[in-house]
Amino acid sequence: MNEAASAIPPDAYPRLPRGVRLVHNEAQGGWVLLAPERVFKADAIAAEVVKRCTGEATFGAIVDDLATTFSAPRERILADVTALLRGLADKRLLEL
């Protein structure tokens, strides 16, 4: 997949689809994404990203917020968050 095809528009409103939710589960050792008949473990960074995917903030605003929160270069955050959200969308765990 080329980079342009995998880009997420800055004005997209990422959100979890109906039936998918992010929960903290001590038995699973932290954050998990629960989907119908599926469970995906989310590391702390993925959880921070997914918590912001409420359908209320644009993708661009989420990237800006994460770059500010973690004092990281925006380009690096953009690349990492794009890869994460694209992967979740491919698994139908996120709507873009």
Side-chain angles (χ1 to χ4, degrees):
M1 183 182 307
N2 70 33
E3 198 169 304
S6 64
I8 298 171
D11 59 349
Y13 286 86
R15 67 183 190 89
L16 297 178
R18 202 171 83 191
V20 177
R21 49 182 221 244
L22 179 70
V23 298
H24 194 264
N25 182 324
E26 287 302 329
Q28 295 281 344
W31 291 99
V32 293
L33 273 169
L34 296 180
E37 300 182 22
R38 299 184 296 168
V39 176
F40 295 86
K41 189 161 176 22
D43 66 23
I45 294 168
E48 284 300 317
V49 174
V50 173
K51 284 181 202 174
R52 290 165 168 79
C53 296
T54 61
E56 295 171 13
T58 64
F59 175 69
I62 290 168
V63 170
D64 290 342
D65 181 44
L66 289 164
T68 301
T69 300
F70 295 103
S71 301
R74 189 182 192 283
E75 299 75 32
R76 170 85 190 267
I77 297 287
L78 177 63
D80 292 350
V81 173
T82 297
L84 173 68
L85 297 189
R86 181 63 61 202
L88 292 175
D90 289 348
K91 293 179 180 80
R92 294 189 167 84
L93 295 170
L94 187 83
E95 294 175 354
L96 296 171

